[in-house]
Amino acid sequence: MPERTDSESRKLLGRLREAMAEDSAGQARLDKITKLIAVSMGTEVCSIYLFRDKDTLELCATEGLRSDAVHKTRLRMGEGLVGFVAKKSRIVNTADAPNEAGFRYMPETGEEIYTSFCGIPIQRLGEKLGVLVVQSKVARNFSSDEIYALEVVAMVLAEMTELGAFVGDGAALSPLHQQSVSIDGGTAQEGAAEGHVWLHEPRVVVTNPIADDPEAEQVRLTGAIEELRVGVDRMLSGAAGGDKEQLQVLEAYRMFANSKGWLKRMEQDIAKGLSAEAAVEKEQSAARTRMSQATDAYLRDRLHDLDDLSNRLLRILTGQGSDTGADMPDDPILIARNIGPAELLEYGRKLRGVVLEEGSVGSHAAIVARALAIPLIVHAHNITTESLNGDHILLDGDQGVVHLRPDDSVITAFRDKIAMRANAQERYTSIRDKPAKSLDGQTITLKMNAGLMADLPSLASSGAEGVGLFRTELQFLIRNQMPKRTELAELYAHVMDSADGKTVVFRTLDIGSDKVLPYMAPQDEPNPALGWRAIRVGLDKPGVLRMQLQALLRAAKGRPMTVMFPFIAQRGEFTAAKAEMDKAVEREKILGHVIPKDLKVGAMLETPSLAFAPQRFFEEVDFLSIGGNDLKQFFFAADRENERVRRRYDTLNVSFLTFIEGIVKRAASTDTPLSFCGEDAGRPVEALCFAAMGLQTLSMRPASIGPVKSLIRRTNLEELRTVIETQRDAGAETVRPAVMEYLRNASK
């Protein structure tokens, strides 16, 4: 076949546009397009396969194969050469298809007479839509020019599919973004919510993938690139001397914005007949494909930067800013690839829930979502490309599942679940002011976790007996610069005022690991959770710790004050931190400031090593709080950010409960007050088992206090302890089955 010229590609794209503009059904358009491509490319066969569901491709149109195979031939993802192209998002170009690894013969198509095969993925911004295939009888490899032309055509087919040009009968031709979809993710904050989609960054819609005037499109692209470069330079100037990580991102922006290779590829696409917007999106789709396949974290981050930059360029070209003029629904569920804590706080309590394509269980967004008491799901693959503003959405934070545009049966079941929650909540309200007293007379103290002023109203409404953990890092994370001591003192004083005499346990700044301050240089560590974080940062860089301790002392205004140091791994760290507190107290006395009339200083037990600290430590510390989230991941050596292992080990594992029991006994030997703080404290069955093992204080999110109290009041803890000990003596790995059976029998 002779080499293709840019004018030939433009002619083909022009014919495709004419076919798209015709007032005909989707199937008729597809049939015409396959014939146009086959004639233009000089091949005997051109076929288009589209997804009928997320795992199945269907032959939707063909020129050259048997027409009766259309809508009958189907392939699973990864099946045959077509399935391989779709699964790997990779081009297959072979002169001898029957002998290619993975080839699958489909007899109903009559393809046995065609030797050459070239398959091109049809995809848009990482969303797999189908496969474009050309075949010939002559054994040959398709040239690089031919493949490039087919990639351009595939790009246009993707845009046409997105715009609904091929809508027709059957699942494979059903309109996009209208089908019911369920997406599995990870639970970062439990809860259930029903609402409508609100996109944090509305998708850019390219309505003109094919251009009339390549020269005019080149001028538009050049102008937009120049505007982009000026904008990046301006951002760099404004960020000079600021956050190192932000500067790295902006430097990457500038590198890509000035990349001759990036610009040249887009110019070539325009020369082939694409509009400027389509050329940008074609490169963006290629970058997203590479990003999904990249194993190197640095390369993945840089491709991420290129993706962000492409979005900025598209918004310049289309004039579609983040403000589309659409009104936020009354029941918004926020959809975003990722989001910072300050941005999430701006939305506030108007949100019903949040779904992130990325994110993590311990991210800043997760911390804010817990503070706002709204469900959050992370790692929801392709949620940003699948969702449209206003789509009906159900968010099941307990199971980590998102139901987008759900059908009636799913809606009914989900609403039944929410109704059951509401009925249960009414029952919990009736026992709000009653103690969490078990049937055998043991009273458990239930406290709440907080991190924002917005949490404090829950102190009264939830029935919490105090704040077992106030996370002070949120006030640092949501700012672009270090907060001032006076600002912190005012905030902490306001928190104590709102608590109305109930104890508030302030945890000093817990940064590092997954919580990096935007104005502090990030530490490049292979395993941040085990790295330079929390009290380690505070003791190595004591300026911030001292400032915060002074703010806490001044906030007390003479009232009792309770302070806890995070992530203490050995006695020496607590001794050094306590010495900083003693110095702060002495300094306040010298300055003539009133000091707390009762100052209690404790530690968070999050590392197994502290459970084996010398007896002297347990005598010196005023109180201990088990930080269950970190302790569990370190005990089982299972990263709680890793979806493959975070649910692998049961909290009710006999070894973990025995370890908790050992801590309880050590604390009891010195009359050291002990509590458990973490997600598991808010899970009724787990909380019940902790109480049975001797923990008398639990701290959890406000919404969990009712369910936990209700179950405690209906249970004999001494009997439950016997069940646990019996299972331990019998060599059981986990006590959960036996505990659940006991609870079922007890409720009869």
Side-chain angles (χ1 to χ4, degrees):
M1 178 171 142
E3 286 222 343
R4 302 186 56 78
T5 65
D6 288 350
S7 61
E8 289 172 331
S9 294
R10 287 199 297 274
K11 287 177 183 176
L12 172 57
L13 292 183
R15 295 186 189 111
L16 290 179
R17 181 174 58 191
E18 290 170 4
M20 186 168 63
E22 288 179 2
D23 186 17
S24 55
Q27 185 64 59
R29 282 199 185 104
L30 276 173
D31 293 340
K32 184 167 185 178
I33 284 170
T34 51
K35 186 169 186 176
L36 283 172
I37 296 171
V39 171
S40 177
M41 299 298 297
T43 60
E44 286 95 343
V45 174
C46 174
S47 304
I48 295 174
Y49 296 79
L50 298 175
F51 279 100
R52 62 177 283 110
D53 58 50
K54 66 177 183 177
D55 296 315
T56 312
L57 286 154
E58 181 173 297
L59 176 63
C60 289
T62 186
E63 171 69 19
L65 300 183
R66 291 176 184 161
S67 59
D68 55 2
V70 172
H71 297 303
K72 293 180 181 176
T73 296
R74 293 171 185 168
L75 294 157
R76 302 289 290 174
M77 180 87 85
E79 184 182 6
L81 297 183
V82 173
F84 178 86
V85 172
K87 183 176 182 178
K88 299 294 184 179
S89 297
R90 195 180 300 166
I91 295 169
V92 171
N93 178 23
T94 176
D96 188 8
N99 290 313
E100 192 75 20
F103 174 81
R104 184 184 169 190
Y105 172 51
M106 308 294 285
E108 72 274 16
T109 65
E111 65 178 342
E112 64 273 10
I113 61 175
Y114 304 108
T115 304
S116 302
F117 174 98
C118 185
I120 309 286
I122 301 172
Q123 55 192 3
R124 183 182 184 273
L125 301 181
E127 184 180 11
K128 300 175 189 290
L129 299 173
V131 177
L132 170 64
V133 175
V134 291
Q135 295 171 271
S136 292
K137 293 178 181 177
V138 177
R140 70 181 186 88
N141 284 311
F142 290 85
S143 70
S144 58
D145 283 343
E146 290 172 315
I147 290 173
Y148 187 83
L150 288 169
E151 285 184 283
V152 172
V153 170
M155 162 71 193
V156 173
L157 291 175
E159 291 298 334
M160 293 168 73
T161 304
E162 174 72 18
L163 293 170
F166 306 133
V167 172
D169 296 331
L173 297 185
S174 60
L176 296 178
H177 312 299
Q178 292 186 27
Q179 302 174 47
S180 296
V181 178
S182 292
I183 299 174
D184 292 328
T187 298
Q189 170 66 12
E190 296 169 346
E194 178 178 2
H196 291 85
V197 167
W198 182 253
L199 294 170
H200 181 55
E201 291 185 343
R203 57 196 297 154
V204 176
V205 179
V206 176
T207 57
N208 58 331
I210 303 168
D212 288 320
D213 186 347
E215 291 184 4
E217 294 301 305
Q218 296 283 11
V219 171
R220 290 182 64 234
L221 178 66
T222 301
I225 288 282
E226 184 57 34
E227 184 176 338
L228 180 70
R229 289 170 179 167
V230 170
V232 170
D233 288 341
R234 191 182 302 117
M235 285 190 290
L236 264 169
S237 299
D243 174 27
K244 183 179 177 183
E245 188 174 21
Q246 183 185 7
L247 284 171
Q248 287 179 339
V249 170
L250 292 175
E251 287 290 356
Y253 279 3
R254 181 156 68 179
M255 177 187 73
F256 286 125
N258 289 279
S259 167
K260 293 181 179 178
W262 185 49
L263 179 59
K264 184 178 179 181
R265 288 192 298 274
M266 290 188 289
E267 288 175 341
Q268 288 174 338
D269 294 334
I270 290 173
K272 294 287 184 182
L274 292 183
S275 66
E277 292 89 339
V280 174
E281 199 166 269
K282 179 174 177 292
E283 285 302 306
Q284 188 179 18
S285 291
R288 284 204 180 177
T289 299
R290 294 196 299 273
M291 189 160 53
S292 66
Q293 297 168 350
T295 55
D296 179 76
Y298 177 81
L299 176 59
R300 198 162 51 244
D301 286 344
R302 297 293 73 80
L303 289 169
H304 209 305
D305 296 337
L306 178 57
D307 190 62
D308 287 340
L309 196 70
S310 298
N311 273 331
R312 290 175 182 271
L313 185 55
L314 279 171
R315 294 192 188 285
I316 292 171
L317 282 165
T318 61
Q320 298 174 28
S322 56
D323 183 4
T324 62
D327 292 328
M328 181 183 289
D330 294 330
D331 52 358
I333 290 181
L334 187 69
I335 306 295
R337 191 167 65 189
N338 219 334
I339 192 168
E343 293 173 299
L344 188 50
L345 278 170
E346 283 181 17
Y347 285 104
R349 292 188 182 274
K350 69 181 80 168
L351 295 178
R352 294 282 184 90
V354 181
V355 184
L356 300 180
E357 198 159 291
E358 298 174 0
S360 65
V361 174
S363 66
H364 306 161
I367 295 168
V368 173
R370 290 183 196 119
L372 296 174
I374 54 175
L376 168 65
I377 290 178
V378 296
H379 305 309
H381 183 61
N382 273 352
I383 187 69
T384 56
T385 53
E386 186 63 52
S387 306
L388 294 178
N389 268 339
D391 278 346
H392 189 197
I393 183 171
L394 308 177
L395 194 164
D396 188 339
D398 300 333
Q399 302 298 320
V401 178
V402 179
H403 301 285
L404 194 61
R405 300 178 291 271
D407 58 34
D408 290 342
S409 62
V410 174
I411 293 171
T412 300
F414 191 84
R415 286 178 178 168
D416 287 345
K417 177 177 181 176
I418 290 180
M420 289 175 64
R421 278 175 171 267
N423 292 334
Q425 203 61 47
E426 288 182 16
R427 295 198 305 272
Y428 304 148
T429 301
S430 68
I431 61 171
R432 181 183 61 195
D433 300 322
K434 296 180 180 180
K437 190 174 183 178
S438 66
L439 294 178
D440 57 320
Q442 298 186 50
T443 300
I444 308 300
T445 300
L446 303 182
K447 297 185 176 183
M448 61 171 270
N449 300 333
L452 294 169
M453 279 305 305
D455 291 319
L456 273 299
S458 299
L459 189 54
S461 62
S462 67
E465 298 175 60
V467 179
L469 168 66
F470 189 90
R471 304 179 184 92
T472 60
E473 57 271 10
L474 280 178
Q475 308 310 318
F476 289 79
L477 290 168
I478 62 178
R479 298 167 181 256
N480 292 321
Q481 59 185 12
M482 186 75 70
K484 295 178 181 177
R485 180 173 49 205
T486 53
E487 293 173 334
L488 292 178
E490 289 175 5
L491 171 72
Y492 301 151
H494 195 9
V495 170
M496 295 184 72
D497 293 342
S498 300
D500 196 24
K502 291 183 178 179
T503 301
V504 178
V505 180
F506 290 94
R507 183 179 67 187
T508 59
L509 190 58
D510 184 4
I511 56 169
S513 183
D514 50 13
K515 299 188 283 286
V516 180
L517 300 184
Y519 41 84
M520 289 182 69
Q523 303 301 311
D524 186 15
E525 297 181 302
N527 193 340
L530 295 173
W532 195 58
R533 55 173 290 200
I535 198 61
R536 298 169 181 176
V537 177
L539 293 176
D540 291 353
K541 301 285 186 181
V544 176
L545 177 62
R546 290 168 184 166
M547 182 269 286
Q548 188 180 26
L549 293 178
Q550 290 166 4
L552 286 165
L553 292 171
R554 293 178 189 182
K557 299 177 182 177
R559 293 171 290 186
M561 167 64 69
T562 308
V563 178
M564 175 168 63
F565 295 116
F567 210 63
I568 299 292
Q570 59 186 10
R571 180 193 171 208
E573 289 176 335
F574 176 75
T575 302
K578 179 68 164 54
E580 290 294 342
M581 175 62 88
D582 292 341
K583 289 178 194 173
V585 170
E586 289 305 313
R587 177 175 172 78
E588 291 302 292
K589 288 180 180 177
I590 292 170
L591 293 173
H593 296 155
V594 62
I595 61 171
K597 64 180 181 181
D598 182 23
L599 178 61
K600 287 185 169 57
V601 181
M604 210 156 195
L605 195 158
E606 300 168 271
T607 62
S609 63
L610 196 62
F612 302 98
Q615 187 77 356
R616 187 71 178 273
F617 165 73
F618 285 85
E619 295 169 349
E620 292 171 340
V621 70
D622 289 332
F623 65 93
L624 281 171
S625 178
I626 296 173
N629 296 344
D630 268 332
L631 184 65
K632 183 180 172 184
Q633 74 167 339
F634 298 145
F635 183 83
F636 288 113
D639 183 358
R640 65 192 181 109
E641 300 292 353
N642 187 331
E643 290 297 326
R644 291 181 177 177
V645 298
R646 65 182 293 246
R647 299 182 187 275
R648 188 182 185 93
Y649 302 100
D650 190 358
T651 303
L652 301 188
N653 184 293
V654 166
S655 60
F656 188 65
L657 289 180
T658 302
F659 182 59
I660 294 295
E661 183 185 38
I663 299 171
V664 170
K665 288 179 178 178
R666 290 214 66 186
S669 71
T670 55
D671 291 326
T672 304
L674 177 68
S675 64
F676 187 102
C677 172
E679 293 172 14
D680 285 325
R683 297 187 172 113
V685 175
E686 283 83 343
L688 204 62
C689 291
F690 291 152
M693 301 310 288
L695 280 162
Q696 296 180 324
T697 302
L698 304 172
S699 189
M700 63 203 72
R701 65 191 183 106
S704 297
I705 290 175
V708 170
K709 182 186 289 188
S710 177
L711 190 55
I712 289 173
R713 288 174 58 86
R714 292 183 282 116
T715 305
N716 185 311
L717 292 177
E718 196 58 45
E719 287 183 1
L720 180 61
R721 182 178 178 85
T722 300
V723 171
I724 293 172
E725 289 177 342
T726 300
Q727 290 300 301
R728 180 163 57 187
D729 293 343
E733 182 174 277
T734 175
V735 303
R736 188 176 296 276
V739 168
M740 296 306 295
E741 183 180 2
Y742 166 77
L743 292 175
R744 281 193 294 270
N745 292 334
S747 65
K748 290 179 180 177

